[in-house]
Amino acid sequence: MLIKSAKFVQSMSAFREFPGQGLPEIAMVGKSNVGKSSLINNLARNSRLARTSSEPGKTRLVNLYLLNDAFFLVDLPGYGFAKAPKQEKQKWADMIEGYLRNTQHLKHVFQLVDIRHAPTQDDQLMVQYLRHYEIPFTVVATKADKLSKAQRGRSIPVICRTLSVQPWEVLVHSSADGTGRDALLDRIESEIQVPESPAEGYETSDNLIEDI
Ligand SMILES: Nc1nc2c(ncn2[C@@H]2O[C@H](COP(=O)(O)OP(=O)(O)OP(=O)(O)O)[C@@H](O)[C@H]2O)c(=O)[nH]1
Ligand SMILES: [Mg+2]
């Protein structure tokens, strides 16, 4: 998929209807500073679209970006920023959960982890949450430019073991050198094409069984 346009649409502190709602949404989750906003910028090929920072806790709202006038990328606050004030952390957690629980058009979540470190307990909880609510997700091991190929080969199994995913399910990514950008766009393309509900004349497997 080629990205032809990318624009910021709006920020919200709690989930509510937004312009263009109904288009598919792909959301970024992960701990503070893992690179969620940078990944959006890499997909959009625009380093100034989403605000990034070397300090954790930069994204403090649910931010919506419209790509190709066809789908939304949703940037969420991070979790697990130990130094943030307790109240602030609770606010971010409420925003993440408020969005994930209330949106009707979420097609897929990119669960970001830092390729250099074993996923944290918060990452494990997040993945459990996504599984519990049956939200489809892909683990993205980002900041891959920080490791050699051999080091990557050693860290992927750790990520897989900790999060109970298979190696071929993990997408390796770097916002710094663009590694994995095409694979992420391919994943988005296939996820946003899944129909919301069976279209008329479309037989679900249940129907087929009944027909037999
Ligand atoms: N080398 C390298 N640095 C990265 C990569 N992705 C992000 N960074 C850097 O990591 C820092 C955090 O990136 P952000 O995109 O702001 O992270 P975030 O997950 O949005 O953080 P919060 O909004 O605080 O939750 C910034 O200094 C980025 O430049 C990457 O793939 N490679
Ligand atoms: Mg951010």
Side-chain angles (χ1 to χ4, degrees):
M1 176 170 50
L2 281 178
I3 298 301
K4 296 180 197 131
S5 66
K7 53 191 175 220
F8 168 73
V9 174
Q10 87 176 56
S11 297
M12 47 196 190
S13 58
F15 179 80
R16 58 174 191 273
E17 305 256 321
F18 49 88
Q21 202 182 10
L23 293 175
E25 295 158 23
I26 308 282
M28 313 298 142
V29 302
K31 64 184 177 130
S32 295
N33 208 242
V34 71
K36 301 175 293 296
S37 305
S38 302
L39 183 146
I40 290 181
N41 288 346
N42 182 36
L43 294 180
R45 287 229 163 100
N46 177 352
S47 61
R48 288 186 310 185
L49 185 65
R51 295 220 188 114
T52 66
S53 169
S54 55
E55 298 291 321
K58 181 68 179 173
T59 307
R60 292 164 178 239
L61 294 166
V62 177
N63 291 326
L64 301 158
Y65 300 90
L66 179 62
L67 276 83
N68 288 357
D69 292 325
F71 66 95
F72 289 103
L73 291 179
V74 183
D75 197 8
L76 291 166
Y79 51 72
F81 175 26
K83 284 190 196 148
K86 206 172 161 194
Q87 264 188 332
E88 197 73 352
K89 281 194 281 196
Q90 190 55 50
K91 231 166 61 185
W92 298 343
D94 291 346
M95 266 187 256
I96 299 167
E97 190 170 3
Y99 167 75
L100 293 175
R101 289 296 294 277
N102 289 301
T103 182
Q104 300 293 311
H105 306 285
L106 179 63
K107 295 290 186 183
H108 205 75
V109 164
F110 286 141
Q111 166 72 56
L112 273 70
V113 294
D114 189 321
I115 197 165
R116 296 169 295 175
H117 310 297
T120 62
Q121 211 166 20
D122 287 328
D123 292 327
Q124 289 174 272
L125 283 173
M126 191 70 229
V127 163
Q128 273 171 24
Y129 178 94
L130 295 172
R131 289 201 170 107
H132 179 79
Y133 288 103
E134 297 183 344
I135 301 170
F137 68 93
T138 296
V139 174
V140 177
T142 196
K143 305 199 182 184
D145 58 286
K146 301 247 189 196
L147 292 186
S148 69
K149 224 171 169 185
Q151 289 170 319
R152 287 182 206 177
R154 286 194 290 275
S155 62
I156 297 297
V158 177
I159 292 170
C160 290
R161 265 200 310 278
T162 317
L163 299 179
S164 303
V165 292
Q166 300 296 334
W168 56 88
E169 294 175 320
V170 177
L171 295 182
V172 172
H173 175 263
S174 163
S175 296
D177 65 15
T179 296
R181 181 177 181 271
D182 290 344
L184 261 76
L185 289 174
D186 285 350
R187 178 60 51 90
I188 292 173
E189 190 170 24
S190 63
E191 297 299 337
I192 63 178
Q193 281 167 1
V194 176
E196 295 240 319
S197 56
E200 251 177 80
Y202 175 93
E203 289 187 316
T204 64
S205 50
D206 285 345
N207 289 343
L208 287 175
I209 291 166
E210 277 171 25
D211 288 348
I212 294 165

